[in-house]
Amino acid sequence: MKQLITTCLLLLSLGIGAQNIQETAISQATGSIDFGSSEEDPAGVISISETFEEAAKKNDIPYRSFEGLQGVEDGYYAIIGVFNEGKNLKRAVKKLKKKGFDAGFILNPENNLNYVYLQHFPFGLEAVDAVASKFDGAYKDDIWILSLENSFPVQEASFSDQNNGNSDSKAVSVNEVTYTMLNETSHLSDQAQQIKETPNKSKLIQRADYYFDKMWYAEAAKLYEEALTQGGANYSYEIIQKTADSYYFNTNMEKAYEWYNVLYDKYGKDMSADNVFKYAHSLKGTGNYARSKRLMRLYNKKMKNGETAGLDEKITLPNEVVLDEILNNEGDYELKNLAINTEYSEFSPIFLESNEVVFASAKDSSFLNTRRYKWNNQPYLDLYVAKINEESQDLKDAIKFSKKINTKYHEASAAFSPDNTTMYFTRNNYGKKLKRDKNGINHLKIYMSKKVDGEWTEAVEVPFNSDNYSTGHPALSPDGKQLYFVSDMPGSIGQTDIFVVDVNGPNSFSEPRNLGPEINTERKEMFPFINEKKLYFSSDGHTGLGGLDIYGAAYTEEGFEKAKNLGRPVNSNKDDFSYIINEENQQGFFASNRPNGKGDDDIYSFKRLVVEEVPASSNAIAGVITELITGDVMPQTLVELLDENGIKLKEMVADDDGSFIFEDLEADKKYTIKATNDTYFENIQEVTALENDTLQVDAVMRKLKEMIAVEDGIKKLKTDMIHFDFDKSYIRKDASEELDKLVEVMTEYPNMVIKIESHTDSRGKKAYNKYLSDRRAKSTREYLIAQGIAPERIASAIGYGEERLLNECDGSVACTEKQHFLNRRSEFIIVSN
């Protein structure tokens, strides 16, 4: 899973950190396809351990070096030809620029020749990479590389102002650089020397940034860490964060934790919610659940406060209760690492027929040179098929899937129709070469193939693909009528969401529908698998043990129920994903990059030894009490559990962290949770207990004094408007709830005296309206007295009819029912308190 978070089948993290949507991958470290890759077309592998010369020779690229030239920038130039001065020179440069190249030319005064280049690169390996791919096929003719060292750039001038270096005092453009002094640094102008000494990022950091932006995180991490050992200015927030992110995206959680910890200690107050989330997940990945829970509290608080909260780790959230449940309950499973696993990544198994499994692997069975994927220097992913050994539940005799399906790019995550004649799978977006969006990202797409006369046909795209976002991880419903998939398309809740389309016919589908917040979170949901009972998927957004965890969500005609973590040992503190199961025998397969495997990601078989055995009473209601304005927890708050008839069953006082829990409840039974605190309004919530699960119920308390407000110099008790039905004066249910709040405030302030004013709309006769409003005022007064308010504390209760309208609905203009409704109200004026 470490390596695939950014391209088709290898990259599972969609949009984290600095890359966000660019990393939409179906990761290999989670064995997936990344949902957006900046990966180049396959070519010879270029390693950062190589020198420029070694890489150029290996790729058969000619090169030449010049040194000590004034007025030109050091680096590497992709040269397409050498010209004498004249119209042909300018015409060649102009033509290249029209084709989109950052072209120019360099004049060598020693031979008076001009070297026309396509692009300048700060690093040699970057230049080799571009030239070896012929600039992604954009330039077909010969290219060689010119290396310039110890040169001294000067201020640029416009093309028309150049004098070809005949005057030392005139600024010279890098496009027409001249060399008046070779190897004579003492003669540099003060201006050139000043530019040379301008502080910038070191070349080491620039090189690391280049690899980071290309999502080559393993290589970026090495360079960042090398820079950090030098200390000084390199020990900045940005570089420490990118070091940690590089390890995180490669799912090296130990190293990610090491550098997030440094970032936290040095720049903790400045950490974003995304930084905190990844720090918390790296803690889970190292087994430090207690600290991770504290950091997840901070993450949730930052999300609620719009990134404005500081690093206060004292807030308890309900997901802590869920995590404790997962840690304390371990299923009885038998797991087995399969024989087909290699030192590379194997993942994404799917049933084919009754005795075969198709899966993705980065191994390569060819005898010739193997193409390599630059993210992790592994071969590109292909689909394989293997037979199931029913006795051992192992996979054997793995061979490559159809040549019509496997290509030189990534293929992974297949799904098959019930009759096994149609398949869907994920592949990089490419035609003759990889296609990229405007940001240079190569997205993933879902392809479909039909089996005709026993052979799979050339795959075609499904119509809901796009060059601007990724689709992948297809999964078919048991009847083949719905296709589930993962995407970062518009309408996503998080970094990657699970969507569904109806299969209307051959390559004909409905519009994609998001599965909604019961399934999708603001983070990543991946690898769906659906059978007759449940939808299974992986996520790092729901509460889990670390990395990606596997969840199951039962479904009914009304939709999906709450997703539930499958717990240990299927889930671990690493990435666990691509889970499939035969519900009849409770056997199946999943992938994980947990320790002691054979490769980056391995496929495991599992068998549940105890089927659907659950504790006798695991139904509970839990939550946390917090204050509305500050968000602080409220310990010592009284919490009562009432039945549907209002009879108290249990009560408890919230713990120091504001949490409470009621256990041993009846499933599917309605309860009322009532939280009370002296100077706060009661918080009352009606809920229904879940079967074998803990229902999370947050109670947010509002202070009584917040109802007291001053409007136009008049002190009032501000409730939501007390409304009446047309031509009626009785107290409606919604009105009684607001009047109960008023009773609470007057009880808290025993000396408070109020007067009641009631109003009507303008419809009907004025005299009758005044009579009706007076009845409403008296009805309100009687309700308050019935709730225990002394009569003398209500100075008056008077109706004003239509004399004090809130809008222009006085009968002279047409008004809606809603506009008239606003005028039928009661107000409460504070006479004394």
Side-chain angles (χ1 to χ4, degrees), residues 554-597:
Y555 58 92
T556 64
E557 292 182 356
E558 285 128 23
F560 289 100
E561 297 181 356
K562 183 180 178 182
K564 186 173 182 180
N565 190 294
L566 298 194
R568 297 188 292 190
V570 170
N571 287 322
S572 67
N573 62 347
K574 302 298 182 182
D575 290 309
D576 308 290
F577 54 98
S578 61
Y579 177 96
I580 62 174
I581 185 174
N582 182 330
E583 297 283 4
E584 292 183 3
N585 59 19
Q586 290 293 294
Q587 296 180 7
F589 303 89
F590 69 96
S592 177
N593 67 339
R594 63 189 61 192
N596 303 318

Side-chain angles (χ1 to χ4, degrees), residues 743-759:
V743 170
E744 287 188 66
V745 176
M746 294 188 71
T747 302
E748 177 65 21
Y749 297 90
N751 296 323
M752 179 180 288
V753 177
I754 66 170
K755 61 180 180 179
I756 302 170
E757 297 179 352
S758 290
H759 308 270

Side-chain angles (χ1 to χ4, degrees), residues 621 636-643 646-655 659-663 665 671-676:
I621 298 174
Q636 307 307 309
T637 297
L638 178 65
V639 187
E640 297 173 281
L641 178 74
L642 313 176
D643 68 11
I647 299 174
K648 183 166 66 176
L649 304 176
K650 298 179 181 181
E651 70 174 35
M652 66 173 295
V653 175
D655 290 341
S659 64
F660 67 90
I661 185 168
F662 294 110
E663 299 178 294
L665 307 180
Y671 293 93
T672 297
I673 300 295
K674 180 179 179 182
T676 56

Side-chain angles (χ1 to χ4, degrees), residues 723-761:
H723 293 294
F724 297 87
D725 287 334
F726 178 68
D727 200 30
K728 303 295 181 183
S729 62
Y730 66 86
I731 303 298
R732 303 189 329 187
K733 185 177 186 300
D734 60 339
S736 69
E737 292 173 354
E738 288 303 310
L739 292 175
D740 288 343
K741 294 178 184 178
L742 190 148
V743 170
E744 287 188 66
V745 176
M746 294 188 71
T747 302
E748 177 65 21
Y749 297 90
N751 296 323
M752 179 180 288
V753 177
I754 66 170
K755 61 180 180 179
I756 302 170
E757 297 179 352
S758 290
H759 308 270
T760 68
D761 59 37

Side-chain angles (χ1 to χ4, degrees), residues 464-738:
F464 50 84
N465 285 337
S466 172
D467 291 338
N468 299 316
Y469 53 78
S470 289
T471 57
H473 297 180
L476 275 168
S477 59
D479 59 9
K481 293 182 179 180
Q482 290 184 314
L483 178 66
Y484 295 79
F485 64 96
V486 175
S487 181
D488 59 338
M489 66 172 55
S492 297
I493 294 172
Q495 295 171 1
T496 52
D497 284 3
I498 300 176
F499 291 79
V500 63
V501 293
D502 298 323
V503 181
N504 297 327
N507 211 22
S508 174
F509 307 90
S510 67
E511 289 296 315
R513 303 186 297 277
N514 191 298
L515 293 195
E518 289 297 319
I519 302 297
N520 294 315
T521 67
E522 74 275 8
R523 306 302 297 192
K524 299 189 297 291
E525 279 67 49
M526 318 287 288
F527 297 100
F529 169 76
I530 190 163
N531 58 26
E532 295 83 357
K533 291 188 175 182
K534 291 182 180 180
L535 170 71
Y536 295 93
F537 63 96
S538 291
S539 170
D540 66 358
H542 293 276
T543 303
L545 298 177
L548 290 173
D549 271 18
I550 300 166
Y551 298 81
Y555 58 92
T556 64
E557 292 182 356
E558 285 128 23
F560 289 100
E561 297 181 356
K562 183 180 178 182
K564 186 173 182 180
N565 190 294
L566 298 194
R568 297 188 292 190
V570 170
N571 287 322
S572 67
N573 62 347
K574 302 298 182 182
D575 290 309
D576 308 290
F577 54 98
S578 61
Y579 177 96
I580 62 174
I581 185 174
N582 182 330
E583 297 283 4
E584 292 183 3
N585 59 19
Q586 290 293 294
Q587 296 180 7
F589 303 89
F590 69 96
S592 177
N593 67 339
R594 63 189 61 192
N596 303 318
K598 296 178 182 179
D600 284 340
D601 301 305
D602 286 354
I603 297 176
Y604 293 79
S605 67
F606 69 85
K607 180 179 180 180
R608 288 199 65 180
L609 304 181
V610 179
V611 180
E612 297 300 329
E613 182 177 335
V614 295
S617 58
S618 59
N619 313 319
I621 298 174
V624 175
I625 313 295
T626 57
E627 205 275 334
L628 175 66
I629 302 301
T630 66
D632 293 337
V633 295
M634 295 183 60
Q636 307 307 309
T637 297
L638 178 65
V639 187
E640 297 173 281
L641 178 74
L642 313 176
D643 68 11
E644 54 189 336
N645 297 315
I647 299 174
K648 183 166 66 176
L649 304 176
K650 298 179 181 181
E651 70 174 35
M652 66 173 295
V653 175
D655 290 341
D656 292 339
D657 58 5
S659 64
F660 67 90
I661 185 168
F662 294 110
E663 299 178 294
D664 302 325
L665 307 180
E666 294 182 37
D668 301 322
K669 182 175 180 179
K670 292 183 179 180
Y671 293 93
T672 297
I673 300 295
K674 180 179 179 182
T676 56
N677 200 311
D678 291 342
T679 59
Y680 291 81
F681 290 108
E682 292 180 343
N683 183 291
I684 300 175
Q685 300 184 64
E686 295 181 355
V687 296
T688 302
L690 302 176
E691 178 75 32
N692 298 321
D693 204 351
T694 298
L695 179 66
Q696 302 300 321
V697 178
D698 287 334
V700 180
M701 306 295 286
R702 176 185 174 191
K703 288 185 178 179
L704 296 174
K705 67 179 181 180
E706 290 170 6
M707 281 188 64
I708 301 174
V710 177
E711 292 183 354
D712 300 326
I714 301 173
K715 187 179 290 188
K716 297 181 180 180
L717 280 176
K718 289 296 294 181
T719 66
D720 288 343
M721 282 192 175
I722 306 299
H723 293 294
F724 297 87
D725 287 334
F726 178 68
D727 200 30
K728 303 295 181 183
S729 62
Y730 66 86
I731 303 298
R732 303 189 329 187
K733 185 177 186 300
D734 60 339
S736 69
E737 292 173 354
E738 288 303 310

Side-chain angles (χ1 to χ4, degrees), residues 28-46:
Q28 176 176 345
T30 40
S32 60
I33 304 174
D34 188 353
F35 267 30
S37 168
S38 60
E39 176 58 27
E40 304 293 339
D41 293 349
V45 177
I46 299 172

Side-chain angles (χ1 to χ4, degrees), residues 287-472:
N288 193 338
Y289 291 108
R291 183 83 192 282
S292 176
K293 287 191 288 187
R294 292 196 296 272
L295 265 294
M296 284 306 295
R297 299 172 203 163
L298 170 60
Y299 168 74
N300 281 275
K301 187 176 181 182
K302 277 180 171 287
M303 292 298 288
K304 290 179 180 179
N305 293 352
E307 294 278 345
T308 59
L311 287 177
D312 177 5
E313 297 184 22
K314 298 179 181 179
I315 306 301
T316 301
L317 294 172
N319 61 12
E320 193 166 335
V321 179
V322 178
L323 179 56
D324 286 338
E325 279 194 343
I326 298 170
L327 291 170
N328 293 331
N329 292 290
E330 185 165 348
D332 198 357
Y333 287 83
E334 182 181 278
L335 304 185
K336 182 176 183 178
N337 189 296
L338 302 184
I340 52 94
N341 290 319
T342 68
E343 62 181 300
Y344 302 109
S345 285
E346 282 76 34
F347 64 96
S348 215
I350 188 66
F351 295 117
L352 176 63
E353 305 290 351
S354 60
N355 62 342
E356 290 182 326
V357 165
V358 172
F359 63 96
S361 175
K363 72 179 180 177
D364 187 62
S365 58
S366 68
F367 294 101
L368 302 176
N369 289 333
T370 302
R371 290 172 291 101
R372 300 275 171 160
Y373 172 54
K374 296 174 186 176
W375 176 282
N376 59 350
N377 199 27
Q378 291 194 8
Y380 277 69
L381 291 168
D382 279 329
L383 290 173
Y384 289 75
V385 60
K387 295 186 181 300
I388 301 174
N389 186 322
E390 294 183 3
E391 292 183 4
S392 64
Q393 194 61 11
D394 207 334
L395 297 180
K396 61 180 182 178
D397 304 329
I399 60 173
K400 277 194 174 182
F401 203 70
S402 169
K403 292 181 180 180
K404 294 287 188 180
I405 303 302
N406 288 324
T407 67
K408 62 183 180 179
Y409 297 106
H410 292 304
E411 283 81 29
S413 299
F416 295 89
S417 62
D419 61 3
N420 292 315
T421 62
T422 302
M423 74 174 292
Y424 301 88
F425 62 95
T426 315
R427 177 189 284 166
N428 297 98
N429 176 20
Y430 85 100
K432 293 182 179 180
K433 64 186 185 74
L434 291 177
K435 298 179 182 179
R436 295 177 173 81
D437 66 11
K438 62 182 180 180
N439 297 316
I441 302 306
N442 171 240
H443 292 287
L444 303 178
K445 288 188 174 182
I446 295 174
Y447 289 77
M448 182 193 74
S449 176
K450 291 282 190 178
K451 183 180 275 190
V452 179
D453 297 329
E455 296 293 335
W456 293 102
T457 60
E458 291 287 349
V460 296
E461 291 188 33
V462 297
F464 50 84
N465 285 337
S466 172
D467 291 338
N468 299 316
Y469 53 78
S470 289
T471 57

